Amino acid sequence: MTATVEENALETARGLVEVCRTGDLEPGWGEAAWIEGTQVAVYRTQDDGFFAASHHCPGSGAKVMARGILGDKTIDGTRVPTVACPLHKEVYRLDTGACLSAAAAPLPVFAVHRLDDTLWMEAGQ
Ligand code: FES
């Protein structure tokens, strides 16, 4: 993946790390990415929302969350994007990481910034 001069300048100025191009992600699916030595699950929802979370399921530590099942749930009248772990199907909010299906540990989620067709994460998240 090649970053442009402008992108490299942005990374330096804001402490951002390039994740991928938006076109690298298929709507309704996730992909695993290696970001600063950490496995991150990066998702693109059907309505072009972009999210990132730990690739490790908080339930077992299994590195499976990029293969999770994307969906949504209406909470207090607001639709929130979700991901279900592919193993035991615990459901997590993609915006906050809260587990919706059990009193379980949250899924660590990370801020994603979109600049044109490139996704960035803050360094050191
Ligand atoms: S491994 Fe993810 S819910 Fe059990």
Side-chain angles (χ1 to χ4, degrees), residues 56-65 84-92 99 101 104:
H56 298 245
C57 178
S60 69
K63 298 169 189 156
V64 296
M65 293 310 295
C85 175
L87 293 182
H88 302 116
K89 310 295 188 282
E90 297 295 3
V91 178
Y92 300 92
C99 184
S101 56

Side-chain angles (χ1 to χ4, degrees), residues 2-86:
T2 305
T4 66
V5 172
E6 292 82 13
E7 290 166 344
N8 285 332
L10 178 69
E11 178 180 349
T12 300
R14 297 187 181 173
L16 298 177
V17 177
E18 184 177 351
V19 176
C20 65
R21 304 289 179 181
T22 56
D24 294 335
L25 300 172
E26 189 175 342
W29 295 94
E31 294 287 347
W34 185 253
I35 307 294
E36 293 192 304
T38 300
Q39 291 190 39
V40 175
V42 186
Y43 305 100
R44 179 177 188 167
T45 62
Q46 288 288 356
D47 59 355
D48 284 340
F50 294 93
F51 298 89
S54 172
H55 187 41
H56 298 245
C57 178
S60 69
K63 298 169 189 156
V64 296
M65 293 310 295
R67 292 291 165 250
I69 303 153
L70 294 183
D72 57 61
K73 187 172 179 74
T74 300
I75 300 174
D76 297 329
T78 301
R79 188 183 70 80
V80 297
T82 61
V83 61
C85 175

